[in-house]
């Protein structure tokens, strides 16, 4: 609901002498509308930014990336060694090489993420990373974070609690860039 819609609704309720009670989540939804449709206000930046770059959002996150782990199982069962001659043995048993591959999310780093009007900046405990908006192909929100699809390299996953707000800021900044 836009501020104009809210004002019209309040005016109508006063005219009809009806008391309006908004959902307790109304301030949160108001903020969502401001992020999606309003004018974003820059916030002060604790890091150095490029010329004409403004900071709009920051949060503490965990940076994960998908990795693949492959293990090999080369033996299973009972074996027996038979000595044929001195220095020569025959080994029998069930040997069936088997490859097992699993994918998992690996914690890369923990730190602050900053969304500017030009890029995503991550300042972590083990290093810093930047992702220019021109390199981002898509964003996928999940219940516990957001995955950022890039044109090259691995897709980082930002694990964070307030996924809705983070996703709205990122989507809006990508749209405006």
């Amino acid at each position: 609901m836009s501020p104009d819609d809210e004002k019209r609704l309040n005016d109508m309720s006063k005219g009809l002498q009806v008391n309006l009670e908004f959902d307790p989540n109304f301030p949160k939804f108001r903020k969502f509308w401001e992020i999606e449709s309003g004018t974003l206000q820059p916030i002060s930046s604790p890091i150095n930014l490029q010329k004409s770059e403004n900071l709009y959002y920051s949060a503490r996150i965990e940076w994960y990336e998908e990795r693949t782990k492959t293990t090999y199982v080369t033996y299973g069962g009972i074996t027996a060694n038979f000595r044929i001659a001195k220095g020569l043995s025959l080994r029998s048993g069930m040997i069936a090489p088997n490859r097992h591959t699993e994918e998992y999310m690996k914690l890369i780093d923990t730190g602050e993420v900053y969304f500017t009007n030009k890029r995503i900046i991550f300042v972590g405990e083990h290093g810093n990373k930047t992702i220019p908006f021109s390199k981002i192909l898509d964003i996928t929100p999940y219940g516990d974070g957001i995955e950022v699809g890039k044109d090259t390299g691995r897709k980082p996953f930002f694990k964070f609690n307030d996924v809705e707000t983070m996703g709205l800021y990122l989507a809006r900044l990508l749209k405006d860039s």
Side-chain angles (χ1 to χ4, degrees), residues 8-40:
R8 278 195 299 272
L9 187 59
N10 283 326
D11 290 344
M12 279 194 309
S13 70
K14 285 178 187 173
L16 296 171
Q17 297 177 352
V18 175
N19 289 332
L20 280 180
E21 288 187 28
F22 289 105
D23 185 280
N25 289 321
F26 185 75
K28 178 180 169 182
F29 296 136
R30 157 69 69 221
K31 180 71 175 166
F32 290 172
W33 183 89
E34 289 172 6
I35 295 169
E36 287 182 326
S37 306
T39 302
L40 293 179

PDB file of all heavy atoms in Angstrom, residues 8-40:
ATOM      1  N   ARG A   8      -5.850   7.864   1.653  1.00  0.00           N
ATOM      2  CA  ARG A   8      -7.233   7.762   1.173  1.00  0.00           C
ATOM      3  C   ARG A   8      -8.048   6.823   2.067  1.00  0.00           C
ATOM      4  O   ARG A   8      -9.201   7.103   2.397  1.00  0.00           O
ATOM      5  CB  ARG A   8      -7.258   7.272  -0.277  1.00  0.00           C
ATOM      6  CG  ARG A   8      -7.007   8.368  -1.292  1.00  0.00           C
ATOM      7  CD  ARG A   8      -7.393   7.948  -2.700  1.00  0.00           C
ATOM      8  NE  ARG A   8      -6.642   6.795  -3.188  1.00  0.00           N
ATOM      9  CZ  ARG A   8      -5.460   6.886  -3.812  1.00  0.00           C
ATOM     10  NH1 ARG A   8      -4.909   8.067  -4.031  1.00  0.00           N
ATOM     11  NH2 ARG A   8      -4.853   5.802  -4.231  1.00  0.00           N
ATOM     12  N   LEU A   9      -7.463   5.700   2.450  1.00  0.00           N
ATOM     13  CA  LEU A   9      -8.158   4.740   3.309  1.00  0.00           C
ATOM     14  C   LEU A   9      -8.462   5.345   4.675  1.00  0.00           C
ATOM     15  O   LEU A   9      -9.566   5.189   5.208  1.00  0.00           O
ATOM     16  CB  LEU A   9      -7.320   3.464   3.447  1.00  0.00           C
ATOM     17  CG  LEU A   9      -7.955   2.289   4.159  1.00  0.00           C
ATOM     18  CD1 LEU A   9      -9.238   1.856   3.447  1.00  0.00           C
ATOM     19  CD2 LEU A   9      -6.995   1.134   4.235  1.00  0.00           C
ATOM     20  N   ASN A  10      -7.491   6.062   5.245  1.00  0.00           N
ATOM     21  CA  ASN A  10      -7.708   6.722   6.536  1.00  0.00           C
ATOM     22  C   ASN A  10      -8.784   7.806   6.429  1.00  0.00           C
ATOM     23  O   ASN A  10      -9.613   7.948   7.332  1.00  0.00           O
ATOM     24  CB  ASN A  10      -6.406   7.310   7.077  1.00  0.00           C
ATOM     25  CG  ASN A  10      -5.500   6.254   7.675  1.00  0.00           C
ATOM     26  OD1 ASN A  10      -5.977   5.276   8.251  1.00  0.00           O
ATOM     27  ND2 ASN A  10      -4.198   6.454   7.542  1.00  0.00           N
ATOM     28  N   ASP A  11      -8.760   8.574   5.329  1.00  0.00           N
ATOM     29  CA  ASP A  11      -9.782   9.607   5.129  1.00  0.00           C
ATOM     30  C   ASP A  11     -11.173   8.985   5.012  1.00  0.00           C
ATOM     31  O   ASP A  11     -12.141   9.485   5.586  1.00  0.00           O
ATOM     32  CB  ASP A  11      -9.473  10.444   3.887  1.00  0.00           C
ATOM     33  CG  ASP A  11      -8.251  11.332   4.069  1.00  0.00           C
ATOM     34  OD1 ASP A  11      -7.826  11.524   5.234  1.00  0.00           O
ATOM     35  OD2 ASP A  11      -7.723  11.822   3.045  1.00  0.00           O
ATOM     36  N   MET A  12     -11.278   7.868   4.279  1.00  0.00           N
ATOM     37  CA  MET A  12     -12.568   7.188   4.142  1.00  0.00           C
ATOM     38  C   MET A  12     -13.051   6.655   5.486  1.00  0.00           C
ATOM     39  O   MET A  12     -14.235   6.761   5.819  1.00  0.00           O
ATOM     40  CB  MET A  12     -12.473   6.022   3.140  1.00  0.00           C
ATOM     41  CG  MET A  12     -12.564   6.454   1.699  1.00  0.00           C
ATOM     42  SD  MET A  12     -12.847   5.102   0.524  1.00  0.00           S
ATOM     43  CE  MET A  12     -11.598   3.923   0.922  1.00  0.00           C
ATOM     44  N   SER A  13     -12.127   6.080   6.262  1.00  0.00           N
ATOM     45  CA  SER A  13     -12.529   5.519   7.551  1.00  0.00           C
ATOM     46  C   SER A  13     -13.010   6.619   8.505  1.00  0.00           C
ATOM     47  O   SER A  13     -13.953   6.425   9.265  1.00  0.00           O
ATOM     48  CB  SER A  13     -11.400   4.708   8.171  1.00  0.00           C
ATOM     49  OG  SER A  13     -10.362   5.555   8.580  1.00  0.00           O
ATOM     50  N   LYS A  14     -12.367   7.788   8.455  1.00  0.00           N
ATOM     51  CA  LYS A  14     -12.816   8.913   9.282  1.00  0.00           C
ATOM     52  C   LYS A  14     -14.190   9.394   8.830  1.00  0.00           C
ATOM     53  O   LYS A  14     -15.054   9.697   9.650  1.00  0.00           O
ATOM     54  CB  LYS A  14     -11.806  10.052   9.214  1.00  0.00           C
ATOM     55  CG  LYS A  14     -10.555   9.801  10.022  1.00  0.00           C
ATOM     56  CD  LYS A  14      -9.571  10.955   9.884  1.00  0.00           C
ATOM     57  CE  LYS A  14      -8.269  10.585  10.559  1.00  0.00           C
ATOM     58  NZ  LYS A  14      -7.231  11.590  10.315  1.00  0.00           N
ATOM     59  N   GLY A  15     -14.388   9.473   7.515  1.00  0.00           N
ATOM     60  CA  GLY A  15     -15.672   9.898   6.968  1.00  0.00           C
ATOM     61  C   GLY A  15     -16.789   8.934   7.323  1.00  0.00           C
ATOM     62  O   GLY A  15     -17.928   9.336   7.556  1.00  0.00           O
ATOM     63  N   LEU A  16     -16.483   7.662   7.389  1.00  0.00           N
ATOM     64  CA  LEU A  16     -17.476   6.633   7.726  1.00  0.00           C
ATOM     65  C   LEU A  16     -17.531   6.375   9.234  1.00  0.00           C
ATOM     66  O   LEU A  16     -18.305   5.540   9.686  1.00  0.00           O
ATOM     67  CB  LEU A  16     -17.157   5.324   6.993  1.00  0.00           C
ATOM     68  CG  LEU A  16     -17.247   5.377   5.464  1.00  0.00           C
ATOM     69  CD1 LEU A  16     -16.704   4.088   4.866  1.00  0.00           C
ATOM     70  CD2 LEU A  16     -18.689   5.604   5.031  1.00  0.00           C
ATOM     71  N   GLN A  17     -16.670   7.054   9.973  1.00  0.00           N
ATOM     72  CA  GLN A  17     -16.557   6.897  11.419  1.00  0.00           C
ATOM     73  C   GLN A  17     -16.287   5.437  11.805  1.00  0.00           C
ATOM     74  O   GLN A  17     -16.953   4.849  12.653  1.00  0.00           O
ATOM     75  CB  GLN A  17     -17.818   7.422  12.116  1.00  0.00           C
ATOM     76  CG  GLN A  17     -18.029   8.891  11.899  1.00  0.00           C
ATOM     77  CD  GLN A  17     -19.305   9.402  12.523  1.00  0.00           C
ATOM     78  OE1 GLN A  17     -20.131   8.657  13.012  1.00  0.00           O
ATOM     79  NE2 GLN A  17     -19.447  10.725  12.522  1.00  0.00           N
ATOM     80  N   VAL A  18     -15.291   4.865  11.114  1.00  0.00           N
ATOM     81  CA  VAL A  18     -14.872   3.479  11.349  1.00  0.00           C
ATOM     82  C   VAL A  18     -13.420   3.515  11.825  1.00  0.00           C
ATOM     83  O   VAL A  18     -12.591   4.242  11.270  1.00  0.00           O
ATOM     84  CB  VAL A  18     -14.979   2.633  10.051  1.00  0.00           C
ATOM     85  CG1 VAL A  18     -14.429   1.246  10.267  1.00  0.00           C
ATOM     86  CG2 VAL A  18     -16.407   2.597   9.552  1.00  0.00           C
ATOM     87  N   ASN A  19     -13.118   2.734  12.852  1.00  0.00           N
ATOM     88  CA  ASN A  19     -11.733   2.638  13.332  1.00  0.00           C
ATOM     89  C   ASN A  19     -11.004   1.564  12.536  1.00  0.00           C
ATOM     90  O   ASN A  19     -11.468   0.422  12.452  1.00  0.00           O
ATOM     91  CB  ASN A  19     -11.688   2.283  14.817  1.00  0.00           C
ATOM     92  CG  ASN A  19     -12.141   3.431  15.685  1.00  0.00           C
ATOM     93  OD1 ASN A  19     -12.005   4.594  15.312  1.00  0.00           O
ATOM     94  ND2 ASN A  19     -12.695   3.113  16.842  1.00  0.00           N
ATOM     95  N   LEU A  20      -9.878   1.962  11.964  1.00  0.00           N
ATOM     96  CA  LEU A  20      -9.054   1.009  11.215  1.00  0.00           C
ATOM     97  C   LEU A  20      -8.011   0.405  12.147  1.00  0.00           C
ATOM     98  O   LEU A  20      -7.377   1.117  12.922  1.00  0.00           O
ATOM     99  CB  LEU A  20      -8.323   1.708  10.071  1.00  0.00           C
ATOM    100  CG  LEU A  20      -9.097   1.983   8.808  1.00  0.00           C
ATOM    101  CD1 LEU A  20      -8.190   2.673   7.801  1.00  0.00           C
ATOM    102  CD2 LEU A  20      -9.649   0.716   8.214  1.00  0.00           C
ATOM    103  N   GLU A  21      -7.846  -0.896  12.026  1.00  0.00           N
ATOM    104  CA  GLU A  21      -6.762  -1.573  12.739  1.00  0.00           C
ATOM    105  C   GLU A  21      -5.951  -2.327  11.702  1.00  0.00           C
ATOM    106  O   GLU A  21      -6.475  -3.187  11.000  1.00  0.00           O
ATOM    107  CB  GLU A  21      -7.326  -2.543  13.786  1.00  0.00           C
ATOM    108  CG  GLU A  21      -7.937  -1.848  14.972  1.00  0.00           C
ATOM    109  CD  GLU A  21      -8.323  -2.835  16.062  1.00  0.00           C
ATOM    110  OE1 GLU A  21      -7.683  -3.906  16.171  1.00  0.00           O
ATOM    111  OE2 GLU A  21      -9.271  -2.522  16.805  1.00  0.00           O
ATOM    112  N   PHE A  22      -4.681  -1.976  11.607  1.00  0.00           N
ATOM    113  CA  PHE A  22      -3.805  -2.620  10.647  1.00  0.00           C
ATOM    114  C   PHE A  22      -3.159  -3.850  11.266  1.00  0.00           C
ATOM    115  O   PHE A  22      -2.992  -3.951  12.483  1.00  0.00           O
ATOM    116  CB  PHE A  22      -2.720  -1.649  10.161  1.00  0.00           C
ATOM    117  CG  PHE A  22      -3.258  -0.566   9.271  1.00  0.00           C
ATOM    118  CD1 PHE A  22      -3.409   0.729   9.735  1.00  0.00           C
ATOM    119  CD2 PHE A  22      -3.615  -0.843   7.965  1.00  0.00           C
ATOM    120  CE1 PHE A  22      -3.901   1.725   8.912  1.00  0.00           C
ATOM    121  CE2 PHE A  22      -4.106   0.141   7.130  1.00  0.00           C
ATOM    122  CZ  PHE A  22      -4.259   1.436   7.606  1.00  0.00           C
ATOM    123  N   ASP A  23      -2.791  -4.742  10.414  1.00  0.00           N
ATOM    124  CA  ASP A  23      -2.063  -5.947  10.808  1.00  0.00           C
ATOM    125  C   ASP A  23      -0.776  -5.530  11.522  1.00  0.00           C
ATOM    126  O   ASP A  23      -0.166  -4.525  11.151  1.00  0.00           O
ATOM    127  CB  ASP A  23      -1.745  -6.750   9.531  1.00  0.00           C
ATOM    128  CG  ASP A  23      -1.093  -8.066   9.820  1.00  0.00           C
ATOM    129  OD1 ASP A  23       0.131  -8.070  10.063  1.00  0.00           O
ATOM    130  OD2 ASP A  23      -1.797  -9.091   9.786  1.00  0.00           O
ATOM    131  N   PRO A  24      -0.332  -6.290  12.534  1.00  0.00           N
ATOM    132  CA  PRO A  24       0.926  -5.941  13.219  1.00  0.00           C
ATOM    133  C   PRO A  24       2.136  -5.911  12.282  1.00  0.00           C
ATOM    134  O   PRO A  24       3.136  -5.254  12.576  1.00  0.00           O
ATOM    135  CB  PRO A  24       1.094  -7.041  14.267  1.00  0.00           C
ATOM    136  CG  PRO A  24      -0.253  -7.630  14.447  1.00  0.00           C
ATOM    137  CD  PRO A  24      -0.997  -7.417  13.168  1.00  0.00           C
ATOM    138  N   ASN A  25       2.042  -6.590  11.148  1.00  0.00           N
ATOM    139  CA  ASN A  25       3.147  -6.598  10.179  1.00  0.00           C
ATOM    140  C   ASN A  25       3.094  -5.409   9.226  1.00  0.00           C
ATOM    141  O   ASN A  25       3.909  -5.316   8.318  1.00  0.00           O
ATOM    142  CB  ASN A  25       3.126  -7.887   9.365  1.00  0.00           C
ATOM    143  CG  ASN A  25       3.525  -9.081  10.184  1.00  0.00           C
ATOM    144  OD1 ASN A  25       4.430  -9.003  11.006  1.00  0.00           O
ATOM    145  ND2 ASN A  25       2.849 -10.194   9.976  1.00  0.00           N
ATOM    146  N   PHE A  26       2.130  -4.508   9.403  1.00  0.00           N
ATOM    147  CA  PHE A  26       1.973  -3.394   8.470  1.00  0.00           C
ATOM    148  C   PHE A  26       3.249  -2.562   8.304  1.00  0.00           C
ATOM    149  O   PHE A  26       3.610  -2.230   7.173  1.00  0.00           O
ATOM    150  CB  PHE A  26       0.799  -2.502   8.880  1.00  0.00           C
ATOM    151  CG  PHE A  26       0.530  -1.412   7.897  1.00  0.00           C
ATOM    152  CD1 PHE A  26      -0.088  -1.691   6.688  1.00  0.00           C
ATOM    153  CD2 PHE A  26       0.917  -0.106   8.163  1.00  0.00           C
ATOM    154  CE1 PHE A  26      -0.328  -0.693   5.771  1.00  0.00           C
ATOM    155  CE2 PHE A  26       0.678   0.900   7.253  1.00  0.00           C
ATOM    156  CZ  PHE A  26       0.051   0.602   6.051  1.00  0.00           C
ATOM    157  N   PRO A  27       3.972  -2.197   9.372  1.00  0.00           N
ATOM    158  CA  PRO A  27       5.213  -1.421   9.178  1.00  0.00           C
ATOM    159  C   PRO A  27       6.233  -2.166   8.302  1.00  0.00           C
ATOM    160  O   PRO A  27       6.934  -1.541   7.497  1.00  0.00           O
ATOM    161  CB  PRO A  27       5.750  -1.218  10.595  1.00  0.00           C
ATOM    162  CG  PRO A  27       4.553  -1.336  11.472  1.00  0.00           C
ATOM    163  CD  PRO A  27       3.657  -2.340  10.798  1.00  0.00           C
ATOM    164  N   LYS A  28       6.288  -3.469   8.458  1.00  0.00           N
ATOM    165  CA  LYS A  28       7.201  -4.270   7.642  1.00  0.00           C
ATOM    166  C   LYS A  28       6.782  -4.207   6.171  1.00  0.00           C
ATOM    167  O   LYS A  28       7.619  -4.012   5.288  1.00  0.00           O
ATOM    168  CB  LYS A  28       7.178  -5.720   8.142  1.00  0.00           C
ATOM    169  CG  LYS A  28       8.022  -6.677   7.369  1.00  0.00           C
ATOM    170  CD  LYS A  28       7.893  -8.069   8.003  1.00  0.00           C
ATOM    171  CE  LYS A  28       8.472  -9.147   7.163  1.00  0.00           C
ATOM    172  NZ  LYS A  28       8.293 -10.468   7.759  1.00  0.00           N
ATOM    173  N   PHE A  29       5.498  -4.332   5.911  1.00  0.00           N
ATOM    174  CA  PHE A  29       5.005  -4.273   4.530  1.00  0.00           C
ATOM    175  C   PHE A  29       5.156  -2.864   3.953  1.00  0.00           C
ATOM    176  O   PHE A  29       5.380  -2.699   2.762  1.00  0.00           O
ATOM    177  CB  PHE A  29       3.560  -4.752   4.450  1.00  0.00           C
ATOM    178  CG  PHE A  29       3.395  -6.195   4.836  1.00  0.00           C
ATOM    179  CD1 PHE A  29       2.355  -6.590   5.658  1.00  0.00           C
ATOM    180  CD2 PHE A  29       4.285  -7.163   4.399  1.00  0.00           C
ATOM    181  CE1 PHE A  29       2.201  -7.916   6.029  1.00  0.00           C
ATOM    182  CE2 PHE A  29       4.148  -8.485   4.761  1.00  0.00           C
ATOM    183  CZ  PHE A  29       3.106  -8.867   5.580  1.00  0.00           C
ATOM    184  N   ARG A  30       5.018  -1.853   4.802  1.00  0.00           N
ATOM    185  CA  ARG A  30       5.242  -0.471   4.368  1.00  0.00           C
ATOM    186  C   ARG A  30       6.690  -0.324   3.880  1.00  0.00           C
ATOM    187  O   ARG A  30       6.961   0.264   2.856  1.00  0.00           O
ATOM    188  CB  ARG A  30       4.953   0.491   5.522  1.00  0.00           C
ATOM    189  CG  ARG A  30       5.622   1.849   5.439  1.00  0.00           C
ATOM    190  CD  ARG A  30       5.120   2.767   4.370  1.00  0.00           C
ATOM    191  NE  ARG A  30       3.784   3.183   4.700  1.00  0.00           N
ATOM    192  CZ  ARG A  30       2.810   3.272   3.792  1.00  0.00           C
ATOM    193  NH1 ARG A  30       3.055   2.997   2.545  1.00  0.00           N
ATOM    194  NH2 ARG A  30       1.616   3.646   4.136  1.00  0.00           N
ATOM    195  N   LYS A  31       7.627  -0.883   4.653  1.00  0.00           N
ATOM    196  CA  LYS A  31       9.049  -0.831   4.278  1.00  0.00           C
ATOM    197  C   LYS A  31       9.275  -1.559   2.955  1.00  0.00           C
ATOM    198  O   LYS A  31      10.024  -1.082   2.102  1.00  0.00           O
ATOM    199  CB  LYS A  31       9.902  -1.450   5.397  1.00  0.00           C
ATOM    200  CG  LYS A  31      11.373  -1.449   5.130  1.00  0.00           C
ATOM    201  CD  LYS A  31      11.943  -0.061   5.216  1.00  0.00           C
ATOM    202  CE  LYS A  31      13.459  -0.100   5.060  1.00  0.00           C
ATOM    203  NZ  LYS A  31      14.014   1.218   4.821  1.00  0.00           N
ATOM    204  N   PHE A  32       8.616  -2.693   2.761  1.00  0.00           N
ATOM    205  CA  PHE A  32       8.740  -3.427   1.495  1.00  0.00           C
ATOM    206  C   PHE A  32       8.273  -2.573   0.325  1.00  0.00           C
ATOM    207  O   PHE A  32       8.891  -2.553  -0.732  1.00  0.00           O
ATOM    208  CB  PHE A  32       7.947  -4.731   1.540  1.00  0.00           C
ATOM    209  CG  PHE A  32       8.520  -5.786   2.449  1.00  0.00           C
ATOM    210  CD1 PHE A  32       7.812  -6.943   2.703  1.00  0.00           C
ATOM    211  CD2 PHE A  32       9.756  -5.635   3.055  1.00  0.00           C
ATOM    212  CE1 PHE A  32       8.328  -7.924   3.532  1.00  0.00           C
ATOM    213  CE2 PHE A  32      10.282  -6.607   3.893  1.00  0.00           C
ATOM    214  CZ  PHE A  32       9.556  -7.758   4.134  1.00  0.00           C
ATOM    215  N   TRP A  33       7.147  -1.859   0.503  1.00  0.00           N
ATOM    216  CA  TRP A  33       6.648  -1.003  -0.568  1.00  0.00           C
ATOM    217  C   TRP A  33       7.660   0.094  -0.878  1.00  0.00           C
ATOM    218  O   TRP A  33       7.912   0.403  -2.039  1.00  0.00           O
ATOM    219  CB  TRP A  33       5.304  -0.373  -0.181  1.00  0.00           C
ATOM    220  CG  TRP A  33       4.762   0.454  -1.317  1.00  0.00           C
ATOM    221  CD1 TRP A  33       3.958   0.032  -2.328  1.00  0.00           C
ATOM    222  CD2 TRP A  33       5.033   1.836  -1.563  1.00  0.00           C
ATOM    223  NE1 TRP A  33       3.712   1.064  -3.189  1.00  0.00           N
ATOM    224  CE2 TRP A  33       4.357   2.194  -2.741  1.00  0.00           C
ATOM    225  CE3 TRP A  33       5.782   2.808  -0.905  1.00  0.00           C
ATOM    226  CZ2 TRP A  33       4.394   3.468  -3.279  1.00  0.00           C
ATOM    227  CZ3 TRP A  33       5.826   4.087  -1.442  1.00  0.00           C
ATOM    228  CH2 TRP A  33       5.139   4.402  -2.605  1.00  0.00           C
ATOM    229  N   GLU A  34       8.247   0.678   0.178  1.00  0.00           N
ATOM    230  CA  GLU A  34       9.238   1.737  -0.023  1.00  0.00           C
ATOM    231  C   GLU A  34      10.444   1.220  -0.792  1.00  0.00           C
ATOM    232  O   GLU A  34      10.979   1.916  -1.654  1.00  0.00           O
ATOM    233  CB  GLU A  34       9.677   2.317   1.319  1.00  0.00           C
ATOM    234  CG  GLU A  34       8.616   3.152   1.996  1.00  0.00           C
ATOM    235  CD  GLU A  34       9.012   3.561   3.411  1.00  0.00           C
ATOM    236  OE1 GLU A  34      10.165   3.296   3.827  1.00  0.00           O
ATOM    237  OE2 GLU A  34       8.162   4.146   4.094  1.00  0.00           O
ATOM    238  N   ILE A  35      10.884   0.005  -0.488  1.00  0.00           N
ATOM    239  CA  ILE A  35      12.035  -0.569  -1.185  1.00  0.00           C
ATOM    240  C   ILE A  35      11.684  -0.821  -2.651  1.00  0.00           C
ATOM    241  O   ILE A  35      12.461  -0.496  -3.553  1.00  0.00           O
ATOM    242  CB  ILE A  35      12.502  -1.880  -0.509  1.00  0.00           C
ATOM    243  CG1 ILE A  35      13.022  -1.609   0.892  1.00  0.00           C
ATOM    244  CG2 ILE A  35      13.578  -2.561  -1.354  1.00  0.00           C
ATOM    245  CD1 ILE A  35      13.244  -2.859   1.729  1.00  0.00           C
ATOM    246  N   GLU A  36      10.514  -1.395  -2.908  1.00  0.00           N
ATOM    247  CA  GLU A  36      10.124  -1.744  -4.275  1.00  0.00           C
ATOM    248  C   GLU A  36       9.767  -0.534  -5.131  1.00  0.00           C
ATOM    249  O   GLU A  36      10.094  -0.487  -6.300  1.00  0.00           O
ATOM    250  CB  GLU A  36       8.929  -2.693  -4.264  1.00  0.00           C
ATOM    251  CG  GLU A  36       9.258  -4.088  -3.844  1.00  0.00           C
ATOM    252  CD  GLU A  36       8.043  -5.001  -3.887  1.00  0.00           C
ATOM    253  OE1 GLU A  36       6.916  -4.533  -3.604  1.00  0.00           O
ATOM    254  OE2 GLU A  36       8.228  -6.178  -4.190  1.00  0.00           O
ATOM    255  N   SER A  37       9.061   0.446  -4.550  1.00  0.00           N
ATOM    256  CA  SER A  37       8.474   1.507  -5.365  1.00  0.00           C
ATOM    257  C   SER A  37       8.928   2.911  -5.020  1.00  0.00           C
ATOM    258  O   SER A  37       8.761   3.821  -5.827  1.00  0.00           O
ATOM    259  CB  SER A  37       6.947   1.449  -5.236  1.00  0.00           C
ATOM    260  OG  SER A  37       6.475   0.167  -5.538  1.00  0.00           O
ATOM    261  N   GLY A  38       9.434   3.100  -3.845  1.00  0.00           N
ATOM    262  CA  GLY A  38       9.797   4.448  -3.405  1.00  0.00           C
ATOM    263  C   GLY A  38      11.188   4.842  -3.865  1.00  0.00           C
ATOM    264  O   GLY A  38      11.824   4.178  -4.684  1.00  0.00           O
ATOM    265  N   THR A  39      11.660   5.938  -3.328  1.00  0.00           N
ATOM    266  CA  THR A  39      13.007   6.416  -3.600  1.00  0.00           C
ATOM    267  C   THR A  39      13.921   5.864  -2.520  1.00  0.00           C
ATOM    268  O   THR A  39      13.697   6.106  -1.333  1.00  0.00           O
ATOM    269  CB  THR A  39      13.050   7.953  -3.577  1.00  0.00           C
ATOM    270  OG1 THR A  39      12.124   8.448  -4.538  1.00  0.00           O
ATOM    271  CG2 THR A  39      14.437   8.466  -3.898  1.00  0.00           C
ATOM    272  N   LEU A  40      14.925   5.105  -2.930  1.00  0.00           N
ATOM    273  CA  LEU A  40      15.859   4.538  -1.956  1.00  0.00           C
ATOM    274  C   LEU A  40      16.778   5.630  -1.415  1.00  0.00           C
ATOM    275  O   LEU A  40      17.301   6.446  -2.176  1.00  0.00           O
ATOM    276  CB  LEU A  40      16.698   3.432  -2.591  1.00  0.00           C
ATOM    277  CG  LEU A  40      15.973   2.164  -3.004  1.00  0.00           C
ATOM    278  CD1 LEU A  40      16.954   1.181  -3.642  1.00  0.00           C
ATOM    279  CD2 LEU A  40      15.299   1.518  -1.814  1.00  0.00           C
TER     280      LEU A  40
END
